[in-house]
Protein backbone atom coordinates (compact mmCIF):
# COMPACT_ATOMS: atom_id res chain seq x y z
CA UNK A 1 0.00 0.00 0.00
CA UNK A 2 1.54 3.26 -1.08
CA UNK A 3 2.11 5.78 1.66
CA UNK A 4 2.01 8.62 -0.87
CA UNK A 5 -1.60 8.10 -1.89
CA UNK A 6 -4.66 8.27 0.30
CA UNK A 7 -7.76 7.57 -1.78
CA UNK A 8 -10.76 9.78 -1.18
CA UNK A 9 -13.78 7.58 -0.41
CA UNK A 10 -16.33 7.82 -3.21
CA UNK A 11 -19.07 10.42 -2.79
CA UNK A 12 -21.74 8.70 -4.91
CA UNK A 13 -21.03 4.97 -5.05
CA UNK A 14 -23.01 1.91 -4.03
CA UNK A 15 -22.86 0.77 -0.40
CA UNK A 16 -20.15 -1.84 -0.82
CA UNK A 17 -17.84 0.48 -2.74
CA UNK A 18 -18.41 3.19 -0.14
CA UNK A 19 -17.62 0.87 2.79
CA UNK A 20 -14.50 -0.52 1.11
CA UNK A 21 -13.49 3.03 0.16
CA UNK A 22 -13.70 4.29 3.73
CA UNK A 23 -11.77 1.30 5.04
CA UNK A 24 -9.03 1.87 2.45
CA UNK A 25 -8.95 5.58 3.35
CA UNK A 26 -8.20 4.76 6.98
CA UNK A 27 -5.70 2.06 6.04
CA UNK A 28 -3.85 4.63 3.93
CA UNK A 29 -4.06 7.16 6.77
CA UNK A 30 -2.31 4.71 9.10
CA UNK A 31 0.38 4.05 6.48
CA UNK A 32 0.98 7.80 6.11
CA UNK A 33 1.27 8.28 9.86
CA UNK A 34 4.05 5.66 9.97
CA UNK A 35 5.86 6.87 6.84
CA UNK A 36 9.28 8.48 6.89
CA UNK A 37 10.01 7.80 10.55
CA UNK A 38 13.05 6.07 11.98
CA UNK A 39 12.71 2.78 13.84
CA UNK A 40 13.20 4.80 17.04
CA UNK A 41 10.40 7.19 16.09
CA UNK A 42 8.07 4.29 15.37
CA UNK A 43 8.80 2.94 18.87
CA UNK A 44 8.27 6.23 20.70
CA UNK A 45 5.32 6.01 23.09
CA UNK A 46 2.51 8.53 22.95
CA UNK A 47 2.47 9.86 26.49
CA UNK A 48 2.80 8.30 29.92
CA UNK A 49 1.28 6.12 31.13
CA UNK A 50 0.25 4.85 27.66
CA UNK A 51 2.78 2.54 25.99
CA UNK A 52 1.11 2.83 22.54
CA UNK A 53 3.52 3.33 19.62
CA UNK A 54 3.03 3.60 15.87
CA UNK A 55 4.81 0.27 15.43
CA UNK A 56 2.47 -1.26 18.01
CA UNK A 57 -0.59 0.17 16.24
CA UNK A 58 0.57 -1.26 12.92
CA UNK A 59 1.14 -4.69 14.48
CA UNK A 60 -2.21 -4.56 16.29
CA UNK A 61 -4.12 -3.68 13.14
CA UNK A 62 -2.44 -6.53 11.23
CA UNK A 63 -3.78 -8.83 13.93
CA UNK A 64 -7.25 -7.23 13.80
CA UNK A 65 -7.34 -7.64 9.98
CA UNK A 66 -6.31 -11.28 10.44
CA UNK A 67 -8.98 -11.87 13.05
CA UNK A 68 -11.99 -10.35 11.32
CA UNK A 69 -11.32 -11.12 7.66
CA UNK A 70 -9.64 -14.50 8.02
CA UNK A 71 -10.75 -16.13 11.29
CA UNK A 72 -14.28 -14.74 11.43
CA UNK A 73 -15.30 -14.01 7.83
CA UNK A 74 -13.47 -16.83 6.04
CA UNK A 75 -13.40 -19.21 9.04
CA UNK A 76 -9.69 -19.85 8.50
CA UNK A 77 -7.81 -21.50 11.33
CA UNK A 78 -4.83 -19.15 11.43
CA UNK A 79 -2.71 -18.60 14.52
CA UNK A 80 -2.19 -15.26 16.16
CA UNK A 81 0.91 -13.29 15.30
CA UNK A 82 1.13 -12.42 18.98
CA UNK A 83 0.26 -15.32 21.27
CA UNK A 84 -0.68 -14.38 24.82
CA UNK A 85 2.02 -14.47 27.46
CA UNK A 86 2.26 -17.75 29.37
CA UNK A 87 -0.12 -17.85 32.32
CA UNK A 88 -2.18 -14.90 31.09
CA UNK A 89 -5.32 -17.01 30.69
CA UNK A 90 -6.10 -15.20 27.41
CA UNK A 91 -8.67 -17.49 25.81
CA UNK A 92 -8.66 -15.23 22.74
CA UNK A 93 -5.17 -16.46 21.84
CA UNK A 94 -3.85 -12.90 21.52
CA UNK A 95 -6.37 -11.84 18.89
CA UNK A 96 -6.25 -8.28 20.06
CA UNK A 97 -2.49 -8.37 20.50
CA UNK A 98 0.42 -6.70 18.84
CA UNK A 99 0.52 -3.60 21.00
CA UNK A 100 4.04 -4.24 22.26
CA UNK A 101 6.86 -4.49 19.74
CA UNK A 102 9.49 -7.13 20.40
CA UNK A 103 13.07 -5.91 20.58
CA UNK A 104 13.83 -7.44 17.19
CA UNK A 105 10.61 -6.27 15.48
CA UNK A 106 11.13 -3.91 12.57
CA UNK A 107 8.88 -1.58 10.62
CA UNK A 108 9.72 -3.47 7.43
CA UNK A 109 8.48 -6.75 8.97
CA UNK A 110 5.39 -5.14 10.52
CA UNK A 111 4.30 -3.31 7.38
CA UNK A 112 4.84 -6.43 5.23
CA UNK A 113 2.68 -8.47 7.63
CA UNK A 114 0.00 -5.76 7.70
CA UNK A 115 -0.02 -5.39 3.89
CA UNK A 116 -0.34 -9.17 3.50
CA UNK A 117 -3.33 -9.20 5.85
CA UNK A 118 -4.95 -6.30 3.98
CA UNK A 119 -4.49 -8.22 0.71
CA UNK A 120 -6.00 -11.36 2.28
CA UNK A 121 -8.91 -9.29 3.58
CA UNK A 122 -9.64 -7.90 0.13
CA UNK A 123 -9.48 -11.38 -1.37
CA UNK A 124 -11.80 -12.84 1.27
CA UNK A 125 -14.33 -10.04 0.75
CA UNK A 126 -14.31 -10.11 -3.05
CA UNK A 127 -16.67 -13.04 -3.59
CA UNK A 128 -19.04 -12.21 -0.73
CA UNK A 129 -22.13 -10.05 -0.62
CA UNK A 130 -22.60 -7.56 2.22
CA UNK A 131 -25.44 -9.69 3.62
CA UNK A 132 -23.40 -12.92 3.61
CA UNK A 133 -22.91 -14.21 7.13
CA UNK A 134 -20.27 -16.10 9.03
CA UNK A 135 -20.55 -17.86 12.38
CA UNK A 136 -19.55 -15.75 15.34
CA UNK A 137 -19.29 -16.21 19.09
CA UNK A 138 -22.16 -17.87 20.91
CA UNK A 139 -23.82 -19.18 17.78
CA UNK A 140 -24.51 -15.71 16.35
CA UNK A 141 -24.03 -14.79 12.71
CA UNK A 142 -22.16 -11.69 11.55
CA UNK A 143 -22.53 -10.06 8.13
CA UNK A 144 -19.74 -8.74 5.95
CA UNK A 145 -21.46 -5.34 6.23
CA UNK A 146 -21.09 -5.42 10.03
CA UNK A 147 -17.42 -6.41 9.73
CA UNK A 148 -16.74 -3.52 7.31
CA UNK A 149 -18.41 -1.06 9.68
CA UNK A 150 -16.57 -2.46 12.68
CA UNK A 151 -13.23 -2.21 10.89
CA UNK A 152 -13.90 1.37 9.77
CA UNK A 153 -14.55 2.28 13.41
CA UNK A 154 -11.46 0.37 14.57
CA UNK A 155 -9.21 2.15 12.09
CA UNK A 156 -10.77 5.57 12.71
CA UNK A 157 -10.15 5.22 16.46
CA UNK A 158 -6.57 4.07 15.97
CA UNK A 159 -5.82 6.69 13.32
CA UNK A 160 -6.75 9.25 15.99
CA UNK A 161 -4.16 7.62 18.26
CA UNK A 162 -1.67 7.70 15.38
CA UNK A 163 -2.30 11.43 14.85
CA UNK A 164 -1.37 12.17 18.45
CA UNK A 165 1.65 9.87 18.48
CA UNK A 166 3.03 11.28 15.23
CA UNK A 167 2.62 14.83 16.49
CA UNK A 168 4.53 13.89 19.64
CA UNK A 169 7.32 12.16 17.73
CA UNK A 170 8.15 14.87 15.17
CA UNK A 171 5.48 17.56 15.29
CA UNK A 172 3.83 16.46 12.03
CA UNK A 173 0.08 17.01 12.00
CA UNK A 174 -2.57 16.36 9.40
CA UNK A 175 -2.10 14.15 6.39
Amino acid sequence: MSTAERPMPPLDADERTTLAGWLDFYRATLAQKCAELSEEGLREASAAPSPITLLGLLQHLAEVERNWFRRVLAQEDVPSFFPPPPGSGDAGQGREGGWEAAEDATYEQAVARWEAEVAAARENCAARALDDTSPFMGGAQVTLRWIYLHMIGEYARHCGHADLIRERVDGRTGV
Side-chain angles (χ1 to χ4, degrees):
M1 178 173 302
S2 171
T3 59
E5 299 176 24
R6 185 170 72 158
M8 173 68 173
L11 299 174
D12 60 352
D14 61 87
E15 181 183 14
R16 183 191 188 99
T17 303
T18 300
L19 292 171
W22 273 105
L23 183 53
D24 282 342
F25 174 83
Y26 284 119
R27 286 169 170 157
T29 299
L30 177 69
Q32 286 183 339
K33 291 298 174 181
C34 295
E36 301 170 4
L37 279 176
S38 66
E39 291 287 332
E40 294 79 27
L42 290 160
R43 290 174 174 277
E44 190 171 319
S46 58
S50 175
I52 298 175
T53 66
L54 288 169
L55 185 58
L57 278 173
L58 189 61
Q59 291 181 150
H60 171 69
L61 285 164
E63 185 67 35
V64 171
E65 292 268 358
R66 187 176 188 87
N67 187 56
W68 284 103
F69 291 113
R70 294 184 67 188
R71 289 188 195 107
V72 175
L73 182 67
Q75 297 291 294
E76 293 178 34
D77 185 19
V78 291
S80 174
F81 292 126
F82 310 100
S88 70
D90 181 358
Q93 301 300 308
R95 291 189 174 128
E96 291 298 321
W99 291 105
E100 294 182 28
E103 289 293 322
D104 62 345
T106 66
Y107 172 72
E108 184 177 313
Q109 293 166 336
V111 79
R113 181 179 286 161
W114 175 71
E115 287 175 341
E117 290 305 320
V118 168
R122 289 186 179 123
E123 184 176 327
N124 285 339
C125 291
R128 290 177 170 81
L130 291 177
D131 290 327
D132 285 356
T133 61
S134 295
F136 194 53
M137 294 188 300
Q141 295 287 311
V142 62
T143 65
L144 175 57
R145 176 184 291 104
W146 190 97
I147 293 171
Y148 267 127
L149 288 168
H150 173 74
M151 290 298 290
I152 290 166
E154 180 91 12
Y155 268 93
R157 201 169 37 257
H158 292 320
C159 283
H161 296 133
D163 283 338
L164 295 171
I165 297 168
R166 183 64 189 249
E167 184 175 8
R168 179 170 171 82
V169 170
D170 69 357
R172 181 173 161 195
T173 60
V175 184

